[in-house]
Amino acid sequence: MDLRGANLSGADLRGAKLHNVDLIGVDLSGAKPRGAKLHNVDLIGVDLTGAKLRGVDLIKADLD
């Protein structure tokens, strides 16, 4: 799945299962991803300003 450049600002992603997703440049500012499973996702350049990442599973996520 390719969500490159999507605006998910303030999105409620609680419990979402996003595996092998391209999130390059996505705006997740203010998002609520608590409990989300973001396995093997590419988070390069993602705006996480104000995002609450407590409880988010980031197995093999690329944050560089």
Side-chain angles (χ1 to χ4, degrees):
M1 181 183 296
D2 185 351
L3 295 174
R4 201 178 316 200
N7 182 352
L8 298 176
S9 179
D12 185 349
L13 300 173
R14 287 179 284 190
K17 294 178 183 171
L18 301 174
H19 300 209
N20 302 308
V21 177
D22 184 351
L23 296 174
I24 293 175
V26 170
D27 181 358
L28 287 173
S29 59
K32 299 167 191 79
R34 188 176 190 132
K37 295 182 187 317
L38 305 177
H39 297 186
N40 200 34
V41 295
D42 195 338
L43 296 170
I44 296 172
V46 172
D47 183 356
L48 296 170
T49 305
K52 299 188 178 8
L53 299 176
R54 187 177 194 178
V56 175
D57 189 343
L58 295 170
I59 293 173
K60 293 186 180 179
D62 187 353
L63 301 169
D64 287 332

